[in-house]
Amino acid sequence: MNSVAVLHASQLVTLAGPKRPRVGSEMSNLAIIRDGGILICDGVVAAIGSSKEIARKARGSRIIDAGGRVILPGFIDAHTHLVFAGNRLDDFERRLRGETYEQIAAAGGGIWSTVQKTRAAGETDLLDQSKKHAEWFLKCGTTTVEAKSGYGLTVDDELKILRVIRQLNEQTPLEVVPTFLGAHAAPREMHVDEYVDRAIEEMLPRVVSEKLAEFCDVFCEHGYFDVEQSRKILSAAKKLGLKLRIHADQLSNSGGAKLAGELKATTADHLEKTDGQGIGAMKSANVQPVLLPGSVYALGSASYPRAREMIETGLAVVIATDFNPGSSPSPSMPMMLSLACTQMKMSPAEALTASTINAAYTLGRGDMIGSLEPGKLANFSTFDCEDYRELAYWFGFSQADSVYVRGERVWSGGLRPSAKN
Ligand code: NIG
Ligand code: FE
């Protein structure tokens, strides 16, 4: 048996607790062990406790000294568009000159410009570009991401993106959970209703029969897919056994959160413009809100979602990066923690719960990841600080020292000489 013990974390943030998403005041309980240690056997957490206790149990194991750093479960990023070609530097500069996301899209930039580059890229090239993105996530302490297709918009190109996601899973230490987002935008060559039919009749059956996705998502928004079109695609996906996520109420209060409630989606994401009714609909159907402050920030908007109201209503809030080339070019969960606290008034503890255990439950993996408890995967990171609140307080650089997946160190590059191994 391969057994390793990590000792002397100033704070071992376990997030141990009920086996379900955390709500209300539970989001503030991180179950921290001071001077904590973990015993890992064959990639799985075998024991958690004080360093003294773990050292006793660890006779014969390899010992790693965490050197008084903070240890957290690996971040779980429940909303990314990780696979795309190129960047959107032109959009970026246009936005700085005052054009809006919608104006830039109408003028030939936006999602469509990334679709053109992604269609033109071969599968190997796309995989190489995506591996670079995967490495960025790992460096920031993220060990699992959800990743959406959506920059192909033809049967072949959507399947190509989903195959790249599968290869990322096989070839990198990052765990990648696939979502089919064929309805990200209608392609220029086709009327939107015709495209909806194609997504339902041709894309979804292939995605499901080739087991290329666990979830289906739709960009439900004026100018993209209206509530009726979104309902059609999502209902078809549900019938085929996919679980649902929805881009809801990002640019306008267009009924996405209510639709998520009606269809009992796993998540409704964005929610910048969602009102009290939408929040009520999510609550009655147990939909988890996934808030994406990086896209509000990068679009230069001040319209952050109503996180406090959602927590007070009892929703199991999640925070994610929305990593994509247009509206949120950041893979950094620590940056999202900073934004969640400063802009949405979440506490650092709530933000951490939202980016680990609550996120794990939206991906159907709450029993395996998201907290450090016996029986769960030993996915965790050490951070070069002594108090978990520093993760949300210092911003704009990575405090990650070492990142572990299934007990193996997959990245190391901290600020101080690294943890002894
Ligand atoms: O989540 N809203 C739709 N999709 C992305 C943006 C994608 C893009 O601009 O390329 C988002 O913000
Ligand atoms: Fe998105």
Side-chain angles (χ1 to χ4, degrees):
M1 193 187 292
N2 176 11
S3 139
V4 187
V6 186
L7 304 177
H8 304 304
S10 57
Q11 296 182 338
L12 174 59
V13 180
T14 68
L15 285 123
K19 296 187 189 321
R20 53 169 173 74
R22 313 289 161 76
V23 295
S25 61
E26 292 170 356
M27 289 186 71
S28 303
N29 185 4
L30 300 181
I32 294 172
I33 302 172
R34 285 176 202 284
D35 190 11
I38 322 177
L39 179 64
I40 301 153
C41 292
D42 291 337
V44 172
V45 176
I48 285 274
S50 67
S51 291
K52 218 166 149 187
E53 212 178 310
I54 297 300
R56 236 187 351 257
K57 293 184 177 160
R59 304 242 153 81
S61 309
R62 186 161 63 92
I63 306 285
I64 297 173
D65 186 345
R69 295 177 173 85
V70 166
I71 294 186
L72 288 184
F75 288 120
I76 295 169
D77 193 338
H79 183 135
T80 85
H81 305 251
L82 186 150
V83 178
F84 56 85
N87 58 47
R88 295 253 282 282
L89 290 170
D90 293 340
D91 290 18
F92 179 55
E93 288 208 307
R94 285 164 89 152
R95 237 182 2 260
L96 306 184
R97 289 196 294 267
E99 286 181 64
T100 65
Y101 183 81
E102 294 95 318
Q103 285 166 341
I104 294 167
I111 292 173
W112 182 246
S113 63
T114 301
V115 168
Q116 288 173 307
K117 290 182 199 138
T118 307
R119 283 182 181 177
E123 198 162 317
T124 315
D125 182 21
L126 197 55
L127 178 62
D128 285 345
Q129 296 194 45
S130 305
K131 278 186 177 168
K132 180 167 141 185
H133 304 156
E135 200 178 305
W136 290 346
F137 281 97
L138 286 168
K139 281 183 182 171
C140 295
T142 297
T143 50
T144 300
V145 301
E146 179 261 13
K148 305 171 195 295
S149 66
Y151 291 116
L153 313 185
T154 64
V155 181
D156 288 347
D157 290 300
E158 285 296 302
L159 294 181
K160 173 176 80 179
I161 295 170
L162 290 169
R163 282 195 304 272
V164 166
I165 292 175
R166 176 179 282 171
Q167 291 172 78
L168 281 177
N169 224 343
E170 292 163 357
Q171 296 176 28
T172 76
L174 189 68
E175 183 190 20
V176 191
V177 180
T179 294
F180 170 61
L181 174 60
H184 195 193
R188 289 278 150 102
E189 64 267 10
M190 207 179 284
H191 185 271
V192 58
D193 283 317
E194 195 187 336
Y195 184 66
V196 168
D197 291 342
R198 174 147 317 169
I200 294 173
E201 285 156 22
E202 294 180 37
M203 295 182 177
L204 272 171
R206 290 278 303 275
V207 168
V208 171
S209 73
E210 295 179 33
K211 295 193 170 42
L212 284 167
E214 295 181 29
F215 292 89
C216 180
D217 192 344
V218 167
F219 187 12
C220 180
E221 185 62 62
H222 298 300
Y224 293 85
F225 299 89
D226 64 23
V227 168
E228 195 45 52
Q229 292 155 341
S230 303
R231 182 187 286 117
K232 221 171 143 183
I233 296 175
L234 292 169
S235 308
K238 196 172 174 179
K239 270 201 198 120
L240 292 172
L242 296 181
K243 293 174 280 180
L244 311 180
R245 317 179 86 83
I246 306 182
H247 278 73
D249 307 333
Q250 176 184 13
L251 307 171
S252 62
N253 185 15
S254 45
K258 279 187 243 162
L259 181 65
E262 175 193 320
L263 297 175
K264 302 214 172 349
T266 304
T267 67
D269 303 40
H270 276 289
L271 308 171
E272 285 88 329
K273 299 286 160 57
T274 301
D275 58 12
Q277 273 190 351
I279 292 177
M282 287 191 285
K283 170 74 177 146
S284 353
N286 251 330
V287 177
Q288 283 190 253
V290 180
L291 310 183
L292 309 166
S295 59
V296 183
Y297 169 80
L299 291 179
S301 151
S303 194
Y304 287 91
R306 291 148 68 165
R308 285 256 56 91
E309 193 177 327
M310 293 180 198
I311 292 173
E312 273 140 34
T313 305
L315 295 178
V317 170
V318 174
I319 290 171
T321 62
D322 192 18
F323 175 70
N324 75 73
S327 66
S328 191
S330 172
S332 169
M333 202 58 98
M335 180 67 194
M336 302 307 133
L337 297 180
S338 168
L339 292 172
C341 295
T342 60
Q343 309 302 306
M344 306 198 296
K345 308 301 172 205
M346 291 173 72
S347 70
E350 289 170 337
L352 276 183
T353 302
S355 51
T356 54
I357 189 71
N358 277 6
Y361 276 103
T362 74
L363 298 180
R365 284 157 171 75
D367 57 338
M368 289 308 290
I369 52 175
S371 63
L372 294 169
E373 298 179 81
K376 285 196 160 183
L377 296 182
N379 292 358
F380 61 94
S381 307
T382 64
F383 290 93
D384 221 344
C385 53
E386 289 175 16
D387 184 312
Y388 75 88
R389 293 173 296 181
E390 293 180 70
L391 265 301
Y393 166 74
W394 307 109
F395 74 95
F397 68 106
S398 177
Q399 297 171 75
D401 176 77
S402 298
V403 181
Y404 295 80
V405 170
R406 296 174 188 249
E408 295 289 329
R409 192 163 72 179
V410 297
W411 186 79
S412 174
L415 303 171
R416 287 193 278 149
S418 196
K420 277 179 247 142
N421 225 333

